Amino acid sequence: MSTIKKLSLLLIVFGGSVFLLLAFLWNRYLSEPYQSRYMDGQNVASIAFDGSGQAWISTCEKTSDYNSDFGVTNTYAGDVGTFKDGVFTSHAGNLDPSDTCVLDLVVDSQGRPWAIIHSTSLHAPVVYEGDQWIQYIPDQLALSEEGDIYSELAIDSKGKIWLGTYDGGLAVFDGQEWTLYDTSTSDLTHNNISDIIFDQQGKAWIATRGGGINIFDGKNWSSITSSNSTLPTDDIMSLAFDPTGRLWIGTYIRGLYVHAGENWIAYAVYNYSFSITEIVFDGRGRAWVADNSAPQPHPLIMDSNEWTTYDADFRRAYYGGNMISDKNGQIWLGSKNERGFT
């Protein structure tokens, strides 16, 4: 049976104003001893929409403890479910919320959510079928002892599942089998995958943390790197196409760049600490950019070539959470703040 819980913080943006959609703490549902260490609210790890526009939301809390005898031990907690009319309905199914982080949620054309899950015993891509989460681990990718090897999920227009990893390259699932692409088996420039998007022609644009941007049409590879372009770094964190088809590139520390043909626009000075983890566009064509630079990550909005940010209270509430645009062009922001609300 599905359980209903209240979500810690979710913001939805209409037009130019920000409204608080929910401001409730999660009900405490974890058993001891973890409950004594449980934070007031869980981080919203990912937001996705199915074909009907219904929101799926996943959460994650990861706590690391150090022990002189056993080293670092990771503890996980999280949930996944649908959100409607201000109510979150859990669809954890066979997952154990007291020992599972649910990350990078996407929904396929059949309405099935896919996710990356992390727990103390399992690190795997999964899909929700019926009321169960089924593992789809590529045979070519060995699990690391520490886990956390899967970094990114995406679905192309043909329904193929694209799975990025932190150090194992890229795997693509066609519904029958996985195909692995890494630096030893393909022209992929780096095995650390940070983002995957698709253009109108169906080509995959793949951001890497050290190899720039890779473009793959299913047969041929090309790349945009610091050695063959004016891009100042190969450490890329996020990618997005704007409504006019221009490529927006978020980097680690080196800021934001827009690429249109031979022309480049830079939105940060060369050495300014400006790390862009997400880029989305609202119904008015404005860019929403997640700046996760320390000490206070916050979203920035570009309208008519001018940047706007929010006041300190809003920045503390958002604190580097998930950001996505729905089919109506509204921006959804998920909280990633250890205090749950502020």
Side-chain angles (χ1 to χ4, degrees):
M1 177 181 295
S2 298
T3 57
I4 298 177
K5 307 180 182 72
K6 295 178 181 179
L7 195 60
S8 59
L9 177 67
L10 185 65
L11 301 178
I12 185 168
V13 178
F14 297 91
S17 300
V18 179
F19 296 89
L20 187 63
L21 185 63
L22 285 179
F24 298 101
L25 299 179
W26 281 87
N27 293 331
R28 298 190 177 215
Y29 63 94
L30 302 181
S31 59
E32 295 289 350
Y34 191 80
Q35 184 173 344
S36 64
R37 300 167 50 213
Y38 182 52
M39 295 178 182
D40 284 339
Q42 287 191 343
N43 296 335
V44 176
S46 189
I47 307 170
F49 299 95
D50 61 25
S52 68
Q54 179 173 242
W56 283 78
I57 296 173
S58 68
T59 66
C60 176
E61 288 288 353
K62 177 181 176 181
T63 305
S64 297
D65 290 332
Y66 176 77
N67 182 290
S68 59
D69 295 326
F70 300 102
V72 176
T73 300
N74 294 325
T75 304
Y76 302 90
D79 208 340
V80 58
T82 54
F83 177 76
K84 185 178 181 180
D85 298 329
V87 176
F88 176 84
T89 303
S90 174
H91 293 278
N94 54 321
L95 301 179
D96 178 5
S98 67
D99 184 32
T100 303
C101 265
V102 184
L103 305 174
D104 211 41
L105 188 67
V106 296
V107 182
D108 65 20
S109 58
Q110 301 177 50
R112 302 179 306 172
W114 291 71
I116 297 170
I117 62 170
H118 290 177
S119 70
T120 55
S121 60
L122 179 66
H123 308 271
V126 295
V127 61
Y128 191 62
E129 296 182 347
D131 61 353
Q132 301 289 303
W133 291 89
I134 310 300
Q135 299 177 38
Y136 276 84
I137 302 176
D139 293 336
Q140 303 94 322
L141 294 176
L143 287 171
S144 95
E145 293 182 359
E146 297 81 13
D148 296 0
I149 68 167
Y150 304 110
S151 61
E152 187 71 20
L153 270 177
I155 301 177
D156 66 19
S157 60
K158 297 180 180 179
K160 293 181 179 180
I161 306 299
W162 295 63
L163 175 66
T165 73
Y166 286 109
D167 57 11
L170 176 72
V172 181
F173 184 64
D174 63 4
Q176 299 294 326
E177 60 182 3
W178 290 95
T179 301
L180 179 65
Y181 302 96
D182 60 21
T183 55
S184 63
T185 62
S186 71
D187 290 330
L188 186 68
T189 58
H190 202 281
N191 285 333
N192 189 329
I193 310 299
S194 54
D195 201 4
I196 307 167
I197 64 171
F198 305 95
D199 62 21
Q200 293 183 345
Q201 289 73 44
K203 292 185 293 185
W205 293 68
I206 303 156
T208 71
R209 296 297 305 273
I213 302 164
N214 290 249
I215 305 99
F216 184 49
D217 65 4
K219 294 182 179 180
N220 303 305
W221 292 86
S222 58
S223 62
I224 300 173
T225 68
S226 58
S227 61
N228 65 17
S229 73
T230 57
L231 192 64
T233 179
D234 290 326
D235 196 347
I236 311 300
M237 303 187 74
S238 56
L239 299 171
F241 289 107
D242 69 18
T244 67
R246 298 184 305 170
L247 177 67
W248 290 58
I249 303 166
T251 72
Y252 175 69
I253 295 179
R254 301 297 180 84
L256 177 70
Y257 294 82
V258 179
H259 182 226
E262 299 299 321
N263 300 317
W264 289 82
I265 303 172
Y267 286 111
V269 296
Y270 184 77
N271 60 352
Y272 182 65
S273 181
F274 196 47
S275 297
I276 307 301
T277 56
E278 291 187 83
I279 308 165
V280 299
F281 296 89
D282 64 20
R284 294 168 52 183
R286 299 179 303 175
W288 288 68
V289 174
D291 169 21
N292 266 19
S293 303
Q296 196 174 78
H298 60 282
L300 302 166
I301 305 97
M302 171 170 278
D303 189 12
S304 301
N305 291 320
E306 293 185 1
W307 289 103
T308 301
T309 188
Y310 286 99
D311 60 28
D313 288 339
F314 177 80
R315 293 199 299 269
R316 284 193 294 269
Y318 171 70
Y319 207 79
N322 185 254
M323 182 164 59
I324 191 172
S325 177
D326 65 20
K327 65 179 182 180
N328 297 317
Q330 298 169 337
I331 303 296
W332 293 57
L333 304 176
S335 169
K336 191 178 181 182
N337 186 293
E338 65 181 9
R339 289 184 290 172
F341 174 76
T342 302

